[in-house]
Amino acid sequence: MSPSEPEGARDPLKKRGRPAKGPKPSAQDAAVVAGAESSACRMPLHGDQTRKEVASVGRGREPRSRKAAASPEAMNGTDPSSSSLSPPKKTRKGRSSKGDDAVSQGTAVSTERLKDAAAPTSAGSSAVPKSKRPPLQRATIPRGLTPRLEDGSPVSSSSSSSSSSSSPSPSRPRRRLRLLSWNVAGLRGLLKKGETAAEAFRSLLLRERPDVLCLQETKLQEEHVAEVAAALRELHLPMFEGNWHCSTAKKGYSGTSVLVSESAGLAVGPGGVTCGMEGEGDGEGEGRVISVDLGAFTLVNVYTPNSGEGLRRLAFRTQAWDRAFERHLEALQGAGDGNRAVLCCGDLNVAHLDADFYNPGEARMAKAAGTTPEERASFGRLLEGAGMVDSFRHYHPDVTGCYSYWSMRAGNRPYNRGMRLDYFLASENMLRGGDEGEGVPRLLDSFILDQDPAVSKLSDHAPVGVLLEV
């Protein structure tokens, strides 16, 4: 649910009540969507291209009025998350605020989809002097960052017994791979935000050391790939080979890429790189799906279409796109011996369970893109039909208040008014790994980098990741 598509929509997280006085969150204007020109190409990120000089772009100020200013996205009909949630407003002296002064704590996740998840609780507050008012509370879970398994550590206690009991095949040493997925809301624009943004991006990659980096909403045209590859090389990052799928339907729109580190030892297998899928329909040419055979498994990077303002694309999303993508994942698993390991990541533009967004108790969310019953049920059907598992909920089923998207224009991130829209889905055989045969990778852990202050300034999405043993 990125602010770049579909153009302009109401923020599904916007509350109608009058928020209590509290610290005013910082806000950034949403990136302007221009159109897209899409095609597939592969480009090494360590070639001899000369990097073009890029100028820093200053950030505009957020309007100080109660309502957010109309953006190009809002005017043209983009993402429902692009409208702003009004910043906290001063309450009249002696009167109580109708808004919430505390953030919903979320709900415990049920094992049944869309059932048995209790509505979150909120605590209202009366207007009190600012000096005596407690700081705004964030939804929390017992963690520094999202629970995650570090290299060399045993499998976390939150892992399922079937996963933790699996042991690697003794016939061949197994190694660990870290994969990250991130909706960057414009890769070229990110690299043009100046040295601070570029350094934050570089720090993320050097700190996390991903063997594979999957990006969504790159907004690149084919002619920009060489420039971006050179710009990444100038950051002195580890060498990556880039696989790019750009939009040809609109310029500066959508787009996905899979960057594979040369040090990972992952050669592209006989399945090669496939851009797009059968049955894309209205999404054809938007650069939304790229699949790469990485030897031990097939990696699919997807940027799922948003249902849009007024849910005008809901039927296409749930009846056409989700079903086509379900068949695509099934076909990949059936390749070869019929037991192919498939890992899918990306911005899937849906908050599946009640615990995957902060305000499931509000009736209006049933009509907001990304949280409609139709989208949530369709996603559940996709998981079941394609035999895929939501890796984050598999390892951290009871975690609440952990999201991957916040509206930047509304300033929702400091209040943790978010949604979990970004996923790593794994074929069921990856949960057992070595038990399924020596060549099947084993999924070890799944995490969200939701509290990285530097990265939070670069995109309205947080990176998500998994750890594999292959």
Side-chain angles (χ1 to χ4, degrees):
M1 179 161 309
S2 160
S4 65
E5 63 129 6
E7 288 94 6
R10 245 177 3 101
D11 186 358
L13 305 185
K14 184 173 182 179
K15 282 184 173 287
R16 293 182 179 179
R18 179 183 298 170
K21 181 177 179 181
K24 183 175 181 179
S26 60
Q28 292 177 299
D29 292 331
V32 177
V33 175
E37 180 96 345
S38 159
S39 74
C41 72
R42 300 184 62 200
M43 176 69 66
L45 300 192
H46 49 88
D48 297 326
Q49 301 95 336
T50 302
R51 180 187 181 185
K52 295 182 179 180
E53 294 295 324
V54 292
S56 300
V57 177
R59 296 174 178 173
R61 291 182 176 272
E62 179 78 9
R64 299 180 66 91
S65 62
R66 182 168 178 259
K67 295 184 178 180
S71 65
E73 294 91 336
M75 295 172 64
N76 296 328
T78 359
D79 185 340
S81 61
S82 61
S83 285
S84 294
L85 174 68
S86 300
K89 182 182 178 181
K90 294 182 178 180
T91 57
R92 296 180 183 178
K93 186 174 182 181
R95 296 184 61 182
S96 298
S97 168
K98 297 181 181 179
D100 292 336
D101 196 39
V103 174
S104 161
Q105 298 300 307
T107 64
V109 179
S110 170
T111 55
E112 294 184 333
R113 289 186 296 273
L114 306 179
K115 297 180 181 179
D116 303 330
T121 58
S122 300
S125 76
S126 298
V128 295
K130 183 176 181 180
S131 60
K132 297 182 180 180
R133 185 173 301 155
L136 184 68
Q137 298 298 312
R138 296 188 58 183
T140 58
I141 60 176
R143 54 129 167 67
L145 293 176
T146 301
R148 55 184 301 194
L149 175 67
E150 299 296 342
D151 291 332
S153 303
V155 177
S156 62
S157 58
S158 60
S159 304
S160 68
S161 58
S162 62
S163 297
S164 59
S165 61
S166 299
S167 57
S169 172
S171 61
R172 181 176 63 87
R174 292 168 73 93
R175 58 197 178 91
R176 288 180 174 178
L177 298 175
R178 190 184 301 277
L179 293 86
L180 289 185
S181 172
W182 191 19
N183 181 321
V184 292
L187 180 57
R188 193 161 170 250
L190 183 153
L191 295 174
K192 285 187 174 183
K193 286 182 179 178
E195 293 183 4
T196 301
E199 183 57 33
F201 183 63
R202 179 176 181 271
S203 297
L204 168 71
L205 299 187
L206 292 180
R207 180 175 65 253
E208 294 299 322
R209 308 182 311 281
D211 297 289
V212 181
L213 175 64
C214 296
L215 303 176
Q216 302 89 43
E217 204 175 357
T218 56
K219 298 184 181 180
L220 299 179
Q221 296 174 243
E222 185 177 359
E223 61 200 58
H224 298 144
V225 170
E227 174 190 346
V228 169
L232 291 173
R233 182 170 178 264
E234 286 293 320
L235 296 178
H236 304 290
L237 296 169
M239 300 301 181
F240 286 86
E241 180 173 338
N243 304 279
W244 310 87
H245 188 21
C246 305
S247 173
T248 53
K250 301 177 184 178
K251 294 182 179 180
Y253 182 74
S254 191
T256 50
S257 67
V258 175
L259 312 181
V260 183
S261 172
E262 289 190 340
S263 62
L266 295 172
V268 175
V273 179
T274 303
C275 293
M277 65 176 182
E278 292 186 8
E280 284 187 272
D282 291 344
E284 187 173 1
E286 294 181 356
R288 293 184 176 276
V289 182
I290 180 170
S291 308
V292 183
D293 180 348
L294 292 176
F297 62 99
T298 297
L299 178 63
V300 181
N301 184 16
V302 61
Y303 181 33
T304 301
N306 191 284
S307 292
E309 182 182 16
L311 303 179
R312 58 185 176 81
R313 223 176 180 188
L314 178 62
F316 162 69
R317 158 69 189 273
T318 58
Q319 299 172 22
W321 177 273
D322 282 356
R323 305 289 70 82
F325 192 60
E326 179 183 333
R327 293 191 296 269
H328 182 65
L329 295 177
E330 284 184 283
L332 291 175
Q333 292 180 72
D337 59 3
N339 193 35
R340 178 72 174 168
V342 174
L343 188 65
C344 169
C345 67
D347 177 0
L348 281 94
N349 264 317
V350 62
H352 185 209
L353 302 175
D354 279 7
D356 292 328
F357 58 110
Y358 89 97
N359 57 345
E362 295 188 25
R364 65 187 176 86
M365 299 308 292
K367 297 182 179 180
T371 56
T372 64
E374 294 88 346
E375 289 167 303
R376 299 169 71 186
S378 178
F379 184 68
R381 176 182 167 186
L382 184 152
L383 293 178
E384 184 176 356
M388 304 294 285
V389 176
D390 177 354
S391 65
F392 185 79
R393 284 296 170 217
H394 176 76
Y395 285 108
H396 314 296
D398 300 320
V399 164
T400 61
C402 198
Y403 312 119
S404 67
Y405 167 81
W406 307 260
S407 172
M408 294 179 71
R409 291 179 62 249
N412 282 346
R413 196 157 194 161
Y415 298 90
N416 201 30
R417 294 168 178 160
M419 311 174 78
R420 191 170 71 94
L421 304 179
D422 303 86
Y423 298 78
F424 263 95
L425 310 179
S427 54
E428 293 175 350
N429 58 351
M430 295 184 72
L431 303 181
R432 299 178 293 273
D435 292 348
E436 293 289 301
E438 184 177 336
V440 179
R442 181 161 64 107
L443 186 67
L444 297 178
D445 198 15
S446 181
F447 54 89
I448 303 176
L449 302 178
D450 59 337
Q451 292 187 355
D452 189 318
V455 172
S456 68
K457 298 178 181 179
L458 303 181
S459 172
D460 48 9
H461 288 255
V464 300
V466 292
L467 194 65
L468 297 182
E469 189 173 63
V470 296

